[in-house]
Amino acid sequence: MNNKRMNDVIPLLLLFVLAIISQGHAHYSLGKEKITHLHFFYQENLNGDHPTAVLVAKPKDTIVNASNLAPFGAVYVLDTPLTEGQDPNSKVLGQVQGLSVSAGQDKTLLVFMADFEFTSGEFNGSSISVLSRNPILETDREVAIVGGRGKFRMARGFADLHTNYMNATSNVVIVEYNVTVLHYE
């Protein structure tokens, strides 16, 4: 076969292969977009037998204590319960697992990367993902919802946070979350 004829056949062969490959892929419909509002409490405890946030890295020669819990460069790993009410003994709705990295040189600011998995109710087995800056000393603030799993696949939205309780001595923090999630049915 001469080169000119081969050059005419190659594009057709590629088109044929792409057509066959595209037929083999499952088609997935996202369904109708909807908005869901969630309300829960984040219960963080840095002390005791079962802390829910653990310091795993800090800058060299930096002291971390009650007056300096989040020095620039500190990294915490989280496994924190989500509850129905402010009382730590209220019904557990899920768990937050992720990281907080202190990224503010001039003020206390965390970059928060976490998966909020729901373990009961309508959204059991589903989660929302947060990746956002979190100025934790501000009583009211907002974080971004950037994704999710299960019923929250392809989610996006925001969470309004309100610190209901913060005790530097006991290292306990309770944050109220009012979440607006856009996702698909």
Side-chain angles (χ1 to χ4, degrees):
M1 194 180 288
N2 65 33
N3 283 343
K4 181 175 179 353
R5 196 158 171 194
M6 183 64 94
N7 289 340
D8 292 339
V9 172
I10 289 176
L12 289 174
L13 185 59
L14 285 173
L15 186 61
F16 176 73
V17 169
L18 288 174
I20 289 177
I21 291 172
S22 70
Q23 295 299 317
H25 289 278
H27 296 281
Y28 182 77
S29 172
L30 291 174
K32 183 180 174 190
E33 187 172 49
K34 67 185 275 186
I35 297 175
T36 297
H37 298 281
L38 304 167
H39 180 256
F40 49 81
F41 292 83
Y42 173 92
Q43 305 274 351
E44 185 172 278
N45 184 348
L46 291 140
N47 290 334
D49 293 336
H50 301 289
T52 63
V54 177
L55 179 69
V56 295
K58 66 180 182 68
K60 184 180 178 189
D61 301 326
T62 299
I63 296 171
V64 177
N65 56 34
S67 64
N68 189 28
L69 284 174
F72 179 67
V75 179
Y76 284 86
V77 173
L78 313 168
D79 190 359
T80 305
L82 300 175
T83 59
E84 189 172 71
Q86 181 171 331
D87 182 341
N89 297 315
S90 63
K91 180 181 177 184
V92 174
L93 301 175
Q95 284 300 118
V96 176
Q97 295 167 325
L99 297 170
S100 283
V101 178
S102 181
Q105 289 188 20
D106 299 326
K107 72 181 218 176
T108 303
L109 170 81
L110 301 177
V111 173
F112 187 49
M113 301 151 277
D115 183 81
F116 288 61
E117 180 177 28
F118 298 95
T119 56
S120 67
E122 177 185 357
F123 300 110
N124 184 19
S126 298
S127 73
I128 55 176
S129 300
V130 171
L131 173 58
S132 196
R133 66 188 297 277
N134 186 359
I136 60 171
L137 295 182
E138 293 178 16
T139 302
D140 294 298
R141 55 210 184 271
E142 179 180 298
V143 295
I145 308 298
V146 297
R149 294 183 291 112
K151 291 185 178 180
F152 294 120
R153 183 178 292 137
M154 304 226 8
R156 65 194 187 287
F158 61 94
D160 289 322
L161 282 58
H162 177 79
T163 301
N164 283 4
Y165 180 80
M166 179 184 287
N167 186 314
T169 305
S170 66
N171 292 323
V172 171
V173 179
I174 300 172
V175 180
E176 182 175 13
Y177 275 70
N178 284 294
V179 181
T180 302
V181 183
L182 284 76
H183 60 105
Y184 298 91
E185 292 183 329

